[in-house]
Amino acid sequence: MYLELFYLGAVLKYSSTVGMTTESSSIIIDGKLVAKKIRDEIASEVAKIKDSTGIVPGLAVILVGSRKDSQTYVRNKKKACEEVGIESFEVSLPEDCTEEDIIKHISDFNSNASVHGILVQLPLPQHINEEKILNAVTIEKDVDGFHPLNIGRLAMQGRDPLFVPCTPKGCMELLHRYNIEIKGKRAVVIGRSNIVGMPAALLLQRANATISIVHSKTKNPEEIIRQADILISAAGVPNLVRGSWLKPGAVVIDVGINAVDDSESARGYRLVGDVCFGEASSVASAITPVPGGVGPMTIAMLLSNTLSSVKRIHDLK
C-alpha cells in the first residue's frame, strides 16, 4: 500500500512495508533542509520566550586544545546559536590544561543561571579523563546527553532521559520527519560507541524496532546488515557498506563522515560516508547523503536540547 505524502515541497511515495520509494531511485533524505526547518522552528520559539519572559537561552561550550576540526565545530555551533537567538558562552583552554582547570569552568557554568546547556567539545587531550569531565556537567544542563544518568535512563523502560545525544537524536528525527515506519521493523546499527552507536540502538528499540548491533568483532556482518529494514551506520570507515550488503528497499542513515584522497578536488580530498552511496542508492528506498545528511542535524538537535533545557528549568510550556 502506498500513501502519498507531501513533505518539504515534494510528493513522496511511502510504502507501509519497506519505506519511501520512487519509481526510479532512492529518496534522498535531505538533512540540510530538515535542519533548516528545525532551526526556523527553534528561532520562533526562542523569540516567543524572550518576548513573554525576557529569558534568553544560553549555551556554554568548552574547547580544549587547538584541533582544527574541533575549532570548526565550535565556530559552527556559535554561528547556529546566533541564528536562532541563543546566547553563546565560550571558554578556550590550552592543550596542556589540567582536569581541574576544565572542571572549574564547568562548575562555574553549572551555577550560572544564564547558561541552560553545557557542551564540552570532544575529543579531549589524552591526559584528560573524559568520563570524569563529562560527569562534572550537571545533568540538568547536559545538552550533549552524555551524562551516565541520561544514558542510563535512555536504556531503562519507563524512564525518560532529560537529554538524548544529538547525533542519534538527529537520525531519529530524520526518520520521523520522512514518515518512515520504525515499529516492528528490523533495524541494524553499525558501531557501538557511547556517542552514536549505543544510543541510536536504544532509541530504535524505544521506537519498537527489533535491533542488531554490528561491530568490529561481528562475524559475517554482511549477513546481518542484509536483514535490515533500517540501517544506521556509524563505523567511521569509508565506503564500508556495499550495495550488495543491503536489503532491497532498506532505509539507510549514514552517520560516517570520512575524508578520502581526491586529486581532482581543490582540497585534495572529498568527504564520503560509511556506505558506498553510488551502489546503495540503487538498492535503498531512502538514503542520507554525505555531506548534507546527518551532519547538519547534529547541531540542530543541540539547539533543540538547549531550548528544551530552558523550558524545563523555567517551567515554560
Side-chain angles (χ1 to χ4, degrees):
M1 175 184 178
Y2 288 88
L3 303 174
E4 285 195 338
L5 301 171
F6 292 82
Y7 184 70
L8 298 174
V11 180
L12 310 179
K13 287 187 176 180
Y14 175 75
S15 165
S16 60
T17 56
V18 296
M20 292 181 298
T21 64
T22 63
E23 293 179 1
S24 57
S25 63
S26 300
I27 289 294
I28 303 303
I29 299 176
D30 192 337
K32 204 169 179 181
L33 198 56
V34 176
K36 172 65 166 60
K37 188 173 189 299
I38 291 170
R39 291 198 306 272
D40 289 345
E41 294 167 359
I42 292 169
S44 176
E45 279 205 65
V46 168
K48 289 177 182 176
I49 289 172
K50 287 181 182 178
D51 290 343
S52 62
T53 68
I55 296 168
V56 179
L59 174 65
V61 178
I62 297 175
L63 174 65
V64 181
S66 55
R67 283 177 58 120
K68 297 297 183 185
D69 56 349
S70 291
Q71 290 174 336
T72 299
Y73 294 146
V74 169
R75 198 160 50 243
N76 290 342
K77 288 165 185 173
K78 185 175 182 179
K79 181 182 176 184
C81 284
E82 291 173 356
E83 289 175 353
V84 301
I86 292 175
E87 185 176 0
S88 290
F89 300 80
E90 184 180 338
V91 169
S92 294
L93 297 173
E95 182 90 15
D96 60 355
C97 72
T98 65
E99 291 176 355
E100 289 68 27
D101 292 331
I102 304 172
I103 290 173
K104 178 188 180 301
H105 286 288
I106 291 174
S107 179
D108 289 344
F109 286 137
N110 281 341
S111 58
N112 187 337
S114 297
V115 172
H116 305 95
I118 301 169
L119 180 150
V120 179
Q121 183 64 43
L122 302 178
L124 292 169
Q126 289 189 347
H127 69 281
I128 301 294
N129 184 325
E130 184 176 292
E131 181 180 358
K132 182 178 179 181
I133 297 303
L134 296 178
N135 287 356
V137 177
T138 181
I139 188 173
E140 289 82 5
K141 297 184 180 183
D142 173 40
V143 289
D144 247 348
F146 295 154
H147 194 287
L149 289 178
N150 272 321
I151 295 296
R153 289 178 177 180
L154 182 63
M156 297 177 70
Q157 292 188 32
R159 305 287 182 88
D160 289 315
L162 297 184
F163 304 101
V164 172
C166 299
T167 298
K169 182 179 179 181
C171 295
M172 297 299 290
E173 191 71 19
L174 287 174
L175 294 173
H176 291 315
R177 295 224 176 198
Y178 272 82
N179 295 286
I180 292 166
E181 187 176 359
I182 302 173
K183 182 180 179 180
K185 300 298 181 181
R186 182 71 183 265
V188 174
V189 176
I190 305 177
R192 52 180 172 177
S193 72
N194 292 333
I195 295 173
V196 182
M198 285 304 298
L202 292 170
L203 286 167
L204 287 163
Q205 182 174 274
R206 277 184 165 242
N208 295 309
T210 300
I211 307 301
S212 296
I213 297 177
V214 169
H215 50 77
S216 59
K217 307 301 181 191
T218 300
K219 295 181 180 178
N220 302 317
E222 314 97 288
E223 294 180 10
I224 298 170
I225 292 166
R226 203 172 287 121
Q227 299 173 35
D229 300 305
I230 299 169
L231 174 68
I232 295 180
S233 183
V237 179
N239 296 320
L240 170 70
V241 179
R242 315 302 301 193
S244 60
W245 292 18
L246 299 176
K247 177 180 180 179
V251 174
V252 178
I253 305 294
D254 191 349
V255 181
I257 302 179
N258 311 289
V260 296
D261 293 338
D262 184 352
S263 59
E264 296 182 5
S265 169
R267 297 176 296 183
Y269 69 92
R270 58 190 169 87
L271 297 178
V272 301
D274 292 346
V275 180
C276 185
F277 185 84
E279 295 177 7
S281 58
S282 64
V283 181
S285 62
I287 186 169
T288 57
V290 176
V294 175
M297 294 297 293
T298 299
I299 291 181
M301 294 300 97
L302 175 64
L303 302 176
S304 174
N305 280 353
T306 304
L307 177 61
S308 296
S309 181
V310 70
K311 290 165 76 172
R312 183 185 297 111
I313 289 171
H314 294 283
D315 195 25
L316 303 173
K317 301 301 182 186

